[in-house]
């Protein structure tokens, strides 16, 4: 068996290693157009930010180490420029010239290329992407002595690069065409991260694109669509990636908008050809949308499963649909998500409900307690969890990982009540944030709670009495204009005031995070009011409003 | 509806709060024999250790705050001393004398009492338990100016108390009758925690009990069964708890060894009487054993579900079987567990397999990477996950929470491969430790890997060639006597040496953590050897051997 693998970073190298462990006798050749294989692409921004100082640390494996441990024939700087599926050969270009390599089985793991927006001046030497170790080394060099940097694109890598450059002392501006940073996140979560970036001193421009780079002798200038001109000693492009599949599509590999289509064992439409990783398409488990998922985790795990199928391992496990679990550190915050977000659910026309909550990550009486902003989307009819997002200083990754596991298990939101999670004051709460999400969600499903949402604010202001159940001091610190303030502890004695103020209108209750207003809501609901409680309270409202908050929330 | 609740800490107060949210009109009375309700019992050790300095912080709620927010009638220092189920009354003793309180519905949440071993001298004023805020305040006072402390019982609370007293500068000795500390943990995990406690300066005595306390004028002396005499200025008893149910059992509530038996909605055998929390029995989901589970999380969650059933909420969710998820901080380590341990599986006669692994909690090239010792038990025939344990400096709680979710979802170990968990260098790995556990477990299930275990060492030493695949330097630093050293990178070229040394015997491979020996094992297996790889490698072996390690592992 001669196995040729195109691409030796995540999915490709994972398949190669598994292939060797399954078959000592196979000839395994890994071809990669880059200088390095099996390198830590997710670590590149931290190298720029000097959290990782040794570039050698980014080289997880080398051709030599892979030869020694796994008897792999790894050939960097070998680009595959042709495929003849009928002849079972690939055409390989390297310093030694061009030759054909035959295969019995072929795994395509070519990855994706950075998208370079076709702007005037984009070819300036001060413009770089951040995809390779060489990119990272070059950016670090360019940053020395530089003053201003512009990052085009506010996705995960863009923000990590921005923070790394800021750590090196540069003035950094992030420019994002979408109306928010981190487009996969729901807007309120993105607003929280944006505020943290701004706290670090990073300028954030959303809803506006770059139109031109004007190269200069001393420095370049980035021009935005609104006319803003930003000087830049270096410019990082991170506006997305595109599957690097042109050669293979031309050779007859079936693709969808450039992403290789496979079955759930990674088999392509051509015999003896498998594909894995950023170059492949995956079906969104919630919305059914077919799109590439450019994430290291799914690629690494799928690589192993492709090798299982290729070597005919009995009952080889199918490659699971990636849930798109992703996480990013931004300053002192962590933002993470899994599954579908609000936009994709709305676009798919799915009937869903959303809860927002702000529990502490561990016991409130234990030092270091901090709130997690947690959002969970679930199907309105049966409670199936569809997606979740969280932002906070600590414990975010744990909760999203638990929710990712629950989604994989097809749990309903109420099932989260029953999760038996670690509790001791330094680690959690007797009712963990995930348990609380289950309780809130189940309350919504069985109508123990009626919710209103931050996005309803304008309509609610028109039609309803807003009842703020926080203390008088909290109310004075900032409240929705026109709201009535009755602390939840006084509500039972002052319910006549609510009747008078509501004058037949619905009552829409709120507090800081949604706990006290929930209690008040239950009092009002049982007293016959048309009542609902604001999901996530003022914290969620402020996150939703973002910069608009100061004009809607009044003091005094 | 008049609802009376006996016990106002975890399960009882959780039921009371939910009851009020479900029914504004109910009269809800909470009777508690203690001075405080709804206090942070899990926080008491941290108060002693001065991580929590304000005793007020331990009082999460007060009767006043519960009256104001939830209109609850909370009566501390009201002990229930009788139950007349036919008459629907309880007899209550308080400073105001004894009276009967009628009820329409009754929830028993009396909790558990500390077991006091019947030793001579145990009544000394220097002996305390740690169950209440007053206990914690008293212990802290006693610790001031004290020099030596003895903690009897090395369970979770015992160890937390020991560490807290050590933080206050006392010489602390922990005495445990069982052959290991933290009896719910598997022995190798307990050994790791014991080593950490000893590193902190805490003396640990296992496999020996106290026989007597000799009260003295200046200080007491604790006498152990082996004759050891330990001077003590204070003595903490934490040898376990016993359901506080004598009154109710005498009144006809069905119990099993003192623990109240309920159905899965918390209903007891008597009409209109529910029970919840540490006083109740639960059925172990793996072994079927019926025993009380004295944990705050399950009690809090069950309290809510009892109220749902009591108020006839449609389709009230049954109380889940607690998985016994537990966690403890010990020095710089965290130890956590979920589900069944080795002992309970062996006692139940279940055919299971075990994997041990030592993955980094996050990318190895990112600063602060540290290993997690992770053990997973699964059913041998179908891979159903039965239990998991972990010890490490960071990321332990997350992995046990994910595994607790997987166990609740009845996943098989191979399903862990497919979990789509957060990955970015500061948080995890492209193959998370939990994914790796899935891969290792699946390899065992489908015989891609044959394992041997640390407990097999004596037999393996007699019958097999031990092949150590670490580097020569690592081998010289400590290895099993008689082992042959061939680094895994040289194995393919030196396989004849293995043939010669094995002389027909099985080959049992090992390395540091099990990764390299797995590769070597695959080489040997495919070359026709009877081969197996040591689960968890030298790290697991050392943890298994504990203090015995130095006599079995030789240098040079």
């Amino acid at each position: 068996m001669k196995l040729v693998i195109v691409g030796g970073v995540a999915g490709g190298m994972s398949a190669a290693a598994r292939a060797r462990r399954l078959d000592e006798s196979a000839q395994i050749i890994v071809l990669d157009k880059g200088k390095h294989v099996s390198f830590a692409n997710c670590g590149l921004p931290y190298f720029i930010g000097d959290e990782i100082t040794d570039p050698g640390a980014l080289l997880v494996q080398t051709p030599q180490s892979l030869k020694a441990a796994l008897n792999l024939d790894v050939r960097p700087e070998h680009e595959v420029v042709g495929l003849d599926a009928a002849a079972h050969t690939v055409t390989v270009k390297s310093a030694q010239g061009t030759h054909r390599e035959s295969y019995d089985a072929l795994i395509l793991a070519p990855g994706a290329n950075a998208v370079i927006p076709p702007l005037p001046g984009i070819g300036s030497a001060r413009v770089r992407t951040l995809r390779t170790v060489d990119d990272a080394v070059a950016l670090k060099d360019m940053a020395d002595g530089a003053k201003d940097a512009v990052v085009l694109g506010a996705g995960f890598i863009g923000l990590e690069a921005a923070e790394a450059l800021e750590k090196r002392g540069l003035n950094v501006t992030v420019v994002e065409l979408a109306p928010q940073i981190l487009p996969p996140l729901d807007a309120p979560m993105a607003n929280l991260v944006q505020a943290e970036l701004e706290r670090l001193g990073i300028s954030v421009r959303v809803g506006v694109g770059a139109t031109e780079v004007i190269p200069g002798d001393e420095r370049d200038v980035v021009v935005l669509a609104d006319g803003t001109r930003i000087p830049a000693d270096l410019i990082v492009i991170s506006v997305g990636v595109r599957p690097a599949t042109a050669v293979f599509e031309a050779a007859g590999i079936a693709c969808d908008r450039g992403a290789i289509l496979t079955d759930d064992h990674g088999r392509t439409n051509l015999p003896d050809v498998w594909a894995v990783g950023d170059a492949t398409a995956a079906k969104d488990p919630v919305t059914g949308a077919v799109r590439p998922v450019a994430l290291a985790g799914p690629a690494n795990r799928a690589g192993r499963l492709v090798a299982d199928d290729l070597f005919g391992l009995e009952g080889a496990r199918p490659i699971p649909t990636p849930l798109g679990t992703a996480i990013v550190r931004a300053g002192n915050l962590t933002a993470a998500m899994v599954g579908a977000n609000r936009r994709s659910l709305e676009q798919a026309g799915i009937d869903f409900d959303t809860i927002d909550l702000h529990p502490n990550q561990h016991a409130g009486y234990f030092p270091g307690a901090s709130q997690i902003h947690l959002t969970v989307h679930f199907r309105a009819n049966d409670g199936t969890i569809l997606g979740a997002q969280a932002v906070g200083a600590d414990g975010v990754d744990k909760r999203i990982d638990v929710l990712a596991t629950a989604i994989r298990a097809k749990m309903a939101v109420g099932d989260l009540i029953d999760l038996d999670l670690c509790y001791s004051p330094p680690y959690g709460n007797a009712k963990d944030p995930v348990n609380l999400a289950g309780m809130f969600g189940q309350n919504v499903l069985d109508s123990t709670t009626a919710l209103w949402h931050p996005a309803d604010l304008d309509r609610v202001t028109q039609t309803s009495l807003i009842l703020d159940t926080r203390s008088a001091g909290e109310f004075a610190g900032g409240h929705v204009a026109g709201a009535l303030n009755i602390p939840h502890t006084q509500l039972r004695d002052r319910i006549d005031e609510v009747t008078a103020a509501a004058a037949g209108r619905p009552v829409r209750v709120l507090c800081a995070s949604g706990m006290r207003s929930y209690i008040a809501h239950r009092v009002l609901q049982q007293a016959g009011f048309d009542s609902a409680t604001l999901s996530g309270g003022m914290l969620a409202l402020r996150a939703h409003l973002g910069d608009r908050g100061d004009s809607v929330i009044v003091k005094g």
Side-chain angles (χ1 to χ4, degrees), chain A:
Chain A
M1 152 77 85
K2 180 178 177 186
L3 169 61
V4 171
I5 300 175
V6 181
V9 182
M13 198 53 83
S14 201
R18 177 68 171 175
R20 171 58 69 226
R21 290 194 301 265
L22 291 177
D23 189 345
E24 266 297 308
S25 65
Q27 179 184 4
I28 304 175
I29 299 172
V30 181
L31 306 166
D32 198 287
K33 69 177 174 185
K35 206 189 297 186
H36 303 291
V37 294
S38 201
F39 68 92
N41 39 6
C42 300
L44 301 178
Y46 304 98
F47 173 73
I48 295 174
D50 272 349
E51 290 182 79
I52 299 167
T53 49
D54 173 15
L58 298 171
L59 303 175
V60 178
Q61 296 286 351
T62 63
Q64 294 70 36
S65 72
L66 291 161
K67 173 74 186 168
L70 291 163
N71 193 24
L72 300 179
D73 179 354
V74 179
R75 305 177 189 174
E77 302 188 270
H78 279 61
E79 185 175 3
V80 172
V81 296
L83 162 64
D84 184 338
H88 275 52
T89 61
V90 288
T91 307
V92 187
K93 211 171 95 181
S94 71
Q96 291 83 50
T98 299
H99 77 285
R100 284 178 180 242
E101 193 75 48
S102 68
Y103 63 79
D104 298 314
L106 177 68
I107 298 176
L108 302 177
N113 295 323
V115 170
I116 309 292
L119 303 181
I122 200 75
S124 160
R126 295 197 181 89
V127 176
R128 293 287 313 205
T129 57
L130 179 50
R131 297 282 297 167
T132 65
V133 175
D134 285 354
D135 286 339
V137 171
L139 276 170
K140 201 164 177 166
D141 285 347
M142 289 162 72
D144 278 339
K147 199 167 145 281
D148 298 288
V150 172
V151 177
L152 297 182
F156 293 104
I157 294 167
L159 295 194
E160 287 167 350
E163 187 172 339
L165 292 167
E166 191 277 334
K167 270 190 211 291
R168 295 194 76 82
L170 277 74
N171 298 317
V172 181
T173 303
V174 177
V175 178
E176 170 62 52
L177 186 60
Q180 64 171 69
I181 62 165
L182 291 171
L185 279 186
D186 289 341
M189 296 290 176
N191 287 340
L192 295 170
V193 177
Q194 181 174 335
E196 177 69 3
L197 294 174
E198 288 166 347
R199 190 190 65 76
L200 294 176
I202 295 171
S203 298
V204 180
R205 296 293 316 273
V206 293
V208 64
T211 54
E212 187 180 2
V213 175
I214 305 174
D217 290 341
E218 296 292 315
R219 53 213 317 222
D220 294 356
V221 170
V222 178
V223 184
L224 305 191
D226 65 359
T228 310
R229 298 166 67 92
I230 312 171
D233 300 297
L234 66 98
I235 298 159
V236 181
I237 304 279
S238 59
V239 299
V241 297
R242 186 177 292 141
T245 53
V247 165
F248 309 109
E249 192 166 11
I253 296 279
C255 293
D256 178 288
R257 282 158 295 164
I260 299 174
L261 295 168
T262 69
D263 70 5
D264 62 3
H265 290 286
R267 295 178 203 138
T268 69
N269 62 311
L270 296 183
D272 304 320
V273 184
W274 284 255
V276 66
D278 291 5
T280 63
K283 192 172 185 174
D284 185 293
V286 171
T287 66
V290 173
R291 77 288 186 239
V293 173
L295 288 168
N300 271 279
R301 297 193 298 274
R304 184 176 178 279
L305 297 174
V306 161
D308 285 356
D309 185 61
L310 198 154
F311 284 95
L313 205 71
E314 210 179 323
R317 174 176 286 274
I319 299 169
T321 315
L323 300 177
T325 314
I327 190 163
V328 63
R329 196 190 65 183
N332 294 331
L333 292 183
T334 297
M337 61 171 299
V338 57
N341 61 18
R342 170 173 294 280
R343 194 179 327 102
S344 64
L345 290 168
E346 287 173 349
Q347 282 173 1
I350 291 169
D351 188 13
F352 69 101
D353 243 314
T354 300
I355 52 170
D356 304 280
L357 58 166
H358 300 86
N360 283 324
Q361 97 283 29
H362 68 223
Y365 57 78
F366 192 82
S370 65
Q371 284 180 309
I372 296 175
H373 293 249
L374 177 61
T375 290
V376 180
H377 303 299
F378 53 94
R379 205 177 286 276
N381 58 354
D382 64 5
T384 304
I385 308 165
L386 301 172
Q389 311 197 353
V391 172
D394 185 33
V396 163
D397 55 334
K398 177 163 80 171
R399 274 57 184 223
I400 292 299
D401 275 0
V402 168
L403 286 159
T405 307
I407 290 176
R408 188 63 93 201
K410 301 188 193 305
M411 284 187 182
V413 68
D415 295 331
L416 301 177
I417 299 173
D418 296 342
L419 296 183
D420 214 343
L421 304 172
C422 292
Y423 167 54
S424 153
Y427 303 97
N429 282 290
K431 289 172 183 159
D432 190 86
V434 176
N435 297 135
L436 286 175
M439 293 171 189
F440 284 22
Q442 189 60 44
N443 282 343
V444 172
L445 279 175
D446 63 20
S447 301
T448 305
T449 306
L451 292 181
W452 66 288
H453 294 278
D456 304 330
L457 180 67
D458 292 342
R459 191 171 44 75
V460 162
T461 308
Q462 305 287 323
T463 59
S464 309
L465 170 67
I466 294 180
L467 175 66
D468 189 324
T469 58
R470 295 175 299 160
S471 69
E474 290 171 276
F475 185 80
H479 60 268
V480 177
L484 173 67
N485 178 224
I486 300 180
H488 77 302
T489 52
Q490 302 171 15
L491 181 61
R492 288 182 184 85
D493 296 331
R494 297 174 61 185
I495 206 153
D496 288 349
E497 295 176 45
V498 179
T499 307
R505 291 179 297 166
V507 183
R508 294 295 174 258
V509 197
L510 61 79
C511 66
S513 72
M515 296 294 286
R516 289 172 284 179
S517 64
Y518 163 49
I519 295 172
H521 160 69
R522 290 295 303 164
V523 172
L524 293 170
Q525 201 178 35
Q526 294 181 61
F529 288 88
D530 171 353
S531 158
T533 173
L534 177 61
S535 181
M538 289 294 288
L539 285 165
L541 187 65
R542 281 187 186 276
H544 169 75
L545 293 169
D547 290 341
R548 265 209 310 144
D550 291 339
S551 62
V552 175
I553 295 169
V554 299
K555 298 199 179 196

